[in-house]
């Protein structure tokens, strides 16, 4: 027998006209992505004034939150590591589309935009997202635990991809930081192979290495929640997948509408053109960053690392092959080689990441170290 509602509504009870917060929470993740696409279509190809640019920025932030919501629904429905993988791949595919769109539009620094965006994505994920997740997770739960085998394998793949795609071009050509056509084809194939090998290991061969480390009490609570029917149904998961893709398209499309204002703002404050890549990477990776921080606060550090490392890996392993193919149809060189300052920051990031991940346990100290490196990256991007 079900108990009656504590606040029954009768014909004698006047309506107050106030919105139901629960209903708003259910409808906003559905309405906001659609609103973002409508605004994208309405503003595409038009000159936007300051008020419209501000409105787009507000809607963009709301769509990011909607994307995080649908990613969490998917993660709950399919379990780890599939949830993190879906978000990482979805974001990166849209990121590639945005980079190609901006490169074909030309402009100052377009030949290095792919390199700047990919490098920024690595620094944001491995230092910004990892640092904030570790700091907040350790503050709330004490020293955090994760599966060192899974994160170590992911980091090894990131190290190989970053070195092959972003460091080698600086030293293999006398024409500057540009691969020769045969070299570019080889690196593109190697990137796809490495990424494919990791996805196979993460989802089939060694899936248990990429699930959150849980105590017995947490395992029992998860089992009870599963038996209680709290896992989203197949229909709900597919609906969230569709809305996640719509949200990501809206995020990148609205970011593209904002890009002239971003470029003008970067030039107005005297920042170098390469900083545009940093801003684009920050916008595109915002959904994953929020999802990773939420997981860390729930003591699911493995999920946070899956998101961070998976995003870094997908940004290199999918973006570089796509740009390699696009380079045969786009005029101008594709400069992928990092400069000396960027190489130093990359090496420092990878070394610190190894020391953080090898023990399978981390504290606030490691989070603080990663955030200091991230601050150095932002500062040197502004003042190279």
């Amino acid at each position: 027998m079900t108990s009656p509602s504590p606040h029954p509504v009768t014909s004698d009870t006047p309506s107050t006209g106030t919105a139901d917060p629960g209903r708003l929470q259910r409808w906003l993740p559905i309405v906001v992505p659609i609103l973002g696409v409508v605004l994208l279509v309405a503003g595409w190809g038009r000159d936007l004034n300051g008020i419209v640019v501000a409105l787009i920025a507000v809607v963009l932030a709301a769509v990011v939150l909607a994307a995080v919501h649908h990613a969490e629904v998917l993660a709950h429905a399919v379990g780890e590591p599939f949830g993190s993988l879906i978000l990482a791949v979805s974001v990166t595919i849209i990121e590639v589309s945005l980079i190609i769109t901006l490169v074909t539009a030309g402009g100052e620094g377009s030949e290095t935009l792919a390199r700047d965006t990919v490098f920024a994505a690595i620094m944001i994920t491995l230092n910004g997202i990892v640092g904030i997740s570790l700091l907040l997770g350790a503050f709330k739960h004490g020293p955090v635990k994760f599966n060192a085998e899974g994160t170590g394998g992911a980091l090894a793949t990131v190290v190989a991809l970053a070195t092959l795609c972003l460091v080698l071009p600086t030293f293999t050509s006398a024409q500057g930081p540009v691969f020769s056509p045969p070299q570019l084809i080889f690196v593109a194939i190697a990137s796809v192979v490495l990424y494919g090998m990791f996805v196979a290991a993460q989802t089939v061969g060694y899936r248990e290495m990429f699930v959150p480390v849980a105590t017995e009490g947490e395992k029992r609570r998860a089992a009870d929640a599963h038996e209680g029917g709290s896992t989203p149904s197949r229909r709900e998961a597919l609906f969230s997948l569709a809305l996640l893709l719509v949200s990501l398209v809206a995020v990148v499309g609205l970011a593209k509408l904002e890009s002239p204002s971003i470029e003008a703002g970067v030039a107005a404050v005297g920042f170098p053109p390469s900083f545009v890549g940093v801003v684009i990477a920050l916008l595109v990776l915002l959904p994953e960053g929020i999802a990773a921080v939420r997981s860390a606060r729930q003591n699911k550090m493995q999920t946070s690392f899956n998101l961070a490392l998976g995003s870094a890996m997908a940004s290199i392993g999918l973006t570089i092959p796509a740009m390699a193919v696009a380079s045969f149809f786009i005029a101008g060189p594709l400069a992928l080689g990092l400069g000396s300052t960027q190489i130093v920051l990359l090496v420092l990031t990878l070394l610190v990441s190894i020391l953080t991940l090898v023990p399978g346990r981390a504290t606030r100290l490691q989070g603080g170290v990663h955030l200091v490196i991230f601050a150095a990256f932002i500062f040197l991007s502004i003042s190279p």
Side-chain angles (χ1 to χ4, degrees), residues 23-34 62 65-67 69-70 239 243 247:
R23 182 174 298 179
L24 284 176
Q25 291 177 0
R26 289 192 299 270
W27 281 100
L28 280 178
I30 299 173
V31 174
V32 166
I34 298 173
L65 295 177
H69 168 80
H70 294 298
F239 187 62
L243 285 175
S247 299

Side-chain angles (χ1 to χ4, degrees), residues 232-257:
S233 65
R234 178 183 178 85
R235 180 180 178 182
E236 291 171 332
L238 291 175
F239 187 62
S240 283
L241 175 60
L243 285 175
L244 173 61
L245 295 177
V246 172
S247 299
L248 294 175
V249 170
V251 166
V252 177
L254 294 176
K256 173 65 173 68
L257 292 183

Side-chain angles (χ1 to χ4, degrees), residues 302-363:
Q302 185 65 47
T303 301
S304 296
F305 284 157
N306 288 346
L307 284 164
L309 293 170
S311 299
M313 195 183 311
S315 290
I316 312 171
L318 296 179
T319 301
I320 299 303
M323 293 306 301
V325 173
S327 67
F328 291 100
F329 305 96
I330 299 175
L334 177 63
L336 295 177
L338 298 174
S340 56
T341 301
Q342 294 170 317
I343 291 176
V344 170
L345 285 173
L346 178 62
V347 171
L348 176 61
T349 295
L350 297 178
L351 286 176
V352 171
S353 297
I354 291 170
L355 296 175
T356 298
L357 299 179
V358 166
R361 177 184 172 94
T363 66

